[in-house]
Amino acid sequence: MYEKPLSFPFMKSNNVLLLSQLCGNLCMLKVLNSIKSIRREVISYHRKNLKIGFVPTMGALHKGHLKLVEESVNETDITIVSIFVNPTQFNDSNDLKNYPRDILKDKILLKESGCHILFNPSPEEIYPNKPETQISFGKLEKEMEGKYREGHFNGVALVVSKLLNIVQPDIAYFGQKDWQQYIIIKRLSEDLNFNSKIKFVPTVRETNGLAMSSRNQRLTSDLKEKSAVIYDSLKKAKKLLRESNDVKLVKEFIETIFADENQLSLEYFEVIEAYNLDRFEDPREVETIVLAIAVYADEVRLIDNVLLELN
């Protein structure tokens, strides 16, 4: 939506007062912090037969998030964005602690994007008691992220179930970058009969091809440039798979690339059926394939994927 990244030079001086004044002048979006208040708004919209779009986020917004907001603004009457850093989906306490947060900047971006409502609850509002509910997704959570982040998708499912129940959107928007998350949430919505369409929006990328992520803020400029090899390797793997139909060959190709990278460490690379996350031997028997990857850039974990349709 923006040709150039927005910059806020006064943030470097921690001039929060100035930023607050600027936001006060620019932002007309309604900010709600309680479940009771957002439900009251949603009821009023439903009574007017207004179509609600919903973009759940953990904040530290970037162009990828804003693309989701743009889709919602274009397709629905009311756009609601949530910002909530969900503690139950982090299996690494340091990752939770270091996750970037910048709510004042986020408010400005949401106003400029056309968002109507920001739902920004506290952890105590979402989890007044320690959650005991466990949600399992069988084989869908055994691959990729689920294999390396124990309990991650249970935490995702808990918070998304809560948010869909609270907001009751007609359409909820998710980014392709988190493909496995999208598939799991889609199945969650179908299995529990949530009255929401779950839609994915293609990944938005940095100028060098790196998938946009809030975690990119933790990368040095040098490391961000080096991380461009992630998407470049996916594109080459996609081409090689199309030409060879050999999954093993493609995996070995990716492993070779990252064996030569001293600051980038490959956690996993998978080639599986896109919508059921099934493994296969012959790609020609599969309609849509996802090539998914997770890489550590020093201590920052980055994920990405590309889709391939062979039939």
Side-chain angles (χ1 to χ4, degrees), residues 12-211:
K12 295 179 181 179
S13 63
N14 294 318
N15 196 337
V16 177
L17 177 60
L18 179 57
L19 182 55
S20 298
Q21 291 172 342
L22 177 60
C23 190
N25 292 332
L26 292 179
C27 298
M28 299 299 293
L29 82 159
K30 187 175 292 187
V31 180
L32 303 174
N33 306 111
S34 70
I35 294 173
K36 183 178 180 180
S37 63
I38 189 69
R39 278 181 166 161
R40 186 164 52 240
E41 287 290 321
V42 167
I43 289 172
S44 71
Y45 299 143
H46 283 310
R47 285 175 177 170
K48 297 174 184 176
N49 294 317
L50 296 175
K51 191 175 184 179
I52 298 175
F54 178 50
V55 181
T57 82
M58 293 203 296
L61 302 182
H62 51 70
K63 287 184 181 180
H65 294 115
L66 298 180
K67 181 62 177 177
L68 301 180
V69 176
E70 179 184 1
E71 289 284 318
S72 177
V73 169
N74 289 337
E75 296 181 349
T76 66
D77 301 307
I78 298 293
T79 293
I80 300 174
V81 173
S82 65
I83 292 180
F84 178 66
V85 181
N86 177 38
T88 66
Q89 70 187 66
F90 286 83
N91 63 333
D92 183 339
S93 59
N94 286 327
D95 194 19
L96 173 60
K97 178 182 177 181
N98 293 326
Y99 197 86
R101 296 165 172 84
D102 197 341
I103 189 63
L104 295 179
K105 178 181 174 183
D106 288 347
K107 288 178 181 179
I108 294 176
L109 293 176
L110 288 177
K111 166 57 183 174
E112 293 181 343
S113 70
C115 174
H116 301 92
I117 303 289
L118 167 60
F119 180 43
N120 182 215
S122 66
E124 294 75 21
E125 181 71 13
I126 296 297
Y127 299 112
N129 302 299
K130 181 180 179 181
E132 299 292 345
T133 301
Q134 297 288 315
I135 304 177
S136 172
F137 294 94
K139 66 177 183 178
L140 292 179
E141 66 177 351
K142 300 301 182 184
E143 302 290 349
M144 301 184 295
E145 294 298 286
K147 184 176 179 180
Y148 290 91
R149 302 179 69 185
E150 183 178 357
H152 171 70
F153 286 118
N154 176 68
V156 169
L158 277 174
V159 75
V160 170
S161 295
K162 282 175 169 284
L163 291 171
L164 291 179
N165 183 42
I166 293 165
V167 177
Q168 298 184 26
D170 295 280
I171 309 175
Y173 298 84
F174 296 85
Q176 180 186 328
K177 178 180 71 69
D178 299 283
W179 180 259
Q180 187 177 15
Q181 173 179 276
Y182 159 71
I183 293 299
I184 281 179
I185 291 171
K186 190 171 186 296
R187 183 65 60 85
L188 174 74
S189 180
E190 292 169 354
D191 287 353
L192 298 184
N193 296 109
F194 285 116
N195 192 28
S196 302
K197 176 183 177 182
I198 307 300
K199 180 177 180 178
F200 83 88
V201 177
T203 301
V204 178
R205 301 185 177 279
E206 307 273 2
T207 55
N208 67 356
L210 179 65

Side-chain angles (χ1 to χ4, degrees), residues 230-242:
I230 298 172
Y231 181 51
D232 186 58
S233 69
L234 284 175
K235 290 189 294 182
K236 291 177 179 177
K238 179 178 177 178
K239 182 175 184 293
L240 180 59
L241 183 62
R242 188 188 294 275

